[in-house]
Amino acid sequence: MSQAMLTIILPLSLAWMMYCVGLTLKLDDFKRIRSFPLKITAGLITQLIGLPIIAYGFIHFLELPEPIAIGLWLLALAPGGASSNTITYLSGGDTALSISMTALSSLIIPFSLPLMSPFVLTDAHLVMPIKMAILQLVVVTILPTTIGMVMRAYISAIWFKDFIKVSGKSALWVLFFTVFVTLLANLSVFEQLFSIASVAVLSLCICGGALGAIVAKIIGGDNTVIKTFSIEVGIQNAGTAIFVAVVQLQRPDLAVTPLLYGILMNIPALMLIYWHKSHKEITI
């Protein structure tokens, strides 16, 4: 798969996923923030600052090679996505809170990611142009999300409701497609399945989830909020990290870590979903 194809497919795939996120959002999701400002603030700080601190610690403690380290850093700076909302729902978390956090992080990340990337992207040839990076991220994240929200607000036809359901399911398949396309461009990822890179991404996912749970507990959240924080902080949008690595930095090899994450994050996610389903059955 040529670099030219990647620069077309990845932005379109990410834009579609963010459009699908927009179809799940309403203006009320942003207004709802006034109902739980402490939860939103604490959750976003944990995700946007706490998770990168954990990633930075792993990068230096594990002495990760450059490609893996940069990929892990991009992953830690990425927002949540439709996958975190779905996992929250299936795990019995607060879906409204999850969607609100995803919506806000998606608006913040296009500006925070380029600004925070230099903490690890120290080489001159890897430093992304800030203005162009922000513009590209706005175009492939905020714009399609906004379009999705507007269409949901103003189109009430029955066919569109069916379209929303189909689109929601397609977002996950598009993510798989994105991973597949990038895999073709970087087949060496299979060699990394049993490597320090896998240890790093699983550790980031688990530790991020644990940090989210601890913060939720500190602010007095119940089990529902604890689950939501754990998922929102621990589950990142691998598609955004892949887009930055391949399209903005022109380095497909940096996408190996996000690719591994896109595969391995499903392990703790499925365990949490299974625990919730099992516990629910026992309770009944």
Side-chain angles (χ1 to χ4, degrees):
M1 185 66 65
S2 67
Q3 184 73 13
M5 285 296 293
L6 284 174
T7 56
I8 295 173
I9 292 175
L10 290 186
L12 289 177
S13 298
L14 180 57
W16 176 257
M17 286 187 284
M18 296 311 299
Y19 169 73
C20 293
V21 170
L23 290 176
T24 67
L25 299 175
K26 297 182 294 185
L27 189 58
D28 289 343
D29 293 322
F30 292 93
K31 293 180 179 179
R32 193 185 295 117
I33 295 171
R34 293 177 296 183
S35 302
F36 33 68
L38 176 61
K39 294 177 184 178
I40 290 290
T41 302
L44 287 176
I45 290 176
T46 306
Q47 180 182 17
L48 301 178
I49 298 179
L51 189 64
I53 290 176
I54 292 176
Y56 195 81
F58 280 137
I59 288 171
H60 291 279
F61 177 74
L62 298 176
E63 298 182 348
L64 298 176
E66 181 195 73
I68 298 174
I70 294 175
L72 192 72
W73 185 242
L74 294 177
L75 196 55
L77 299 182
S83 57
S84 65
N85 302 149
T86 303
I87 295 169
T88 298
Y89 171 73
L90 295 175
S91 303
D94 188 334
T95 308
L97 176 60
S98 173
I99 291 174
S100 297
M101 290 178 63
T102 296
L104 278 180
S105 66
S106 296
L107 295 178
I108 295 173
I109 290 299
F111 305 96
S112 63
L113 193 153
L115 293 174
M116 294 180 67
S117 61
F119 283 101
V120 172
L121 303 180
T122 53
D123 294 340
H125 67 284
L126 283 176
V127 176
M128 65 178 73
I130 301 295
K131 292 182 179 180
M132 180 58 68
I134 291 175
L135 179 61
Q136 288 177 325
L137 286 169
V138 167
V139 170
V140 299
T141 58
I142 295 180
L143 184 58
T145 301
T146 303
I147 292 174
M149 289 181 61
V150 171
M151 291 181 67
R152 172 173 176 167
Y154 291 99
I155 300 178
S156 58
I158 296 178
W159 67 265
F160 188 70
K161 294 181 180 180
D162 294 333
F163 172 74
I164 291 178
K165 294 179 181 179
V166 174
S167 299
K169 295 177 181 179
S170 73
L172 184 59
W173 289 106
V174 170
L175 176 59
F176 290 153
F177 177 71
T178 301
V179 171
F180 175 72
V181 169
T182 312
L183 278 173
L184 290 180
N186 195 14
L187 293 175
S188 62
V189 67
F190 292 107
E191 302 173 3
Q192 304 288 338
L193 282 176
F194 302 97
S195 67
I196 190 66
S198 293
V199 173
V201 295
L202 265 179
S203 298
L204 181 68
C205 183
I206 294 172
C207 291
L211 177 62
I214 292 171
V215 171
K217 192 72 174 178
I218 291 175
I219 65 173
D222 57 16
N223 288 334
T224 302
V225 175
I226 291 174
K227 288 180 186 177
T228 306
F229 270 47
S230 179
I231 295 167
E232 280 298 315
V233 178
I235 302 297
Q236 299 297 93
N237 189 338
T240 300
I242 293 172
F243 169 78
V244 173
V246 176
V247 177
Q248 297 189 321
L249 294 176
Q250 300 291 303
R251 287 279 301 273
D253 59 308
L254 300 182
V256 170
T257 307
L259 281 170
L260 286 172
Y261 179 85
I263 298 170
L264 298 176
M265 74 173 189
N266 293 293
I267 297 176
L270 290 174
M271 290 176 64
L272 184 59
I273 293 172
Y274 176 77
W275 179 87
H276 169 68
K277 299 295 183 182
S278 301
H279 181 74
K280 186 177 181 180
E281 291 177 0
I282 293 174
T283 301
I284 293 175

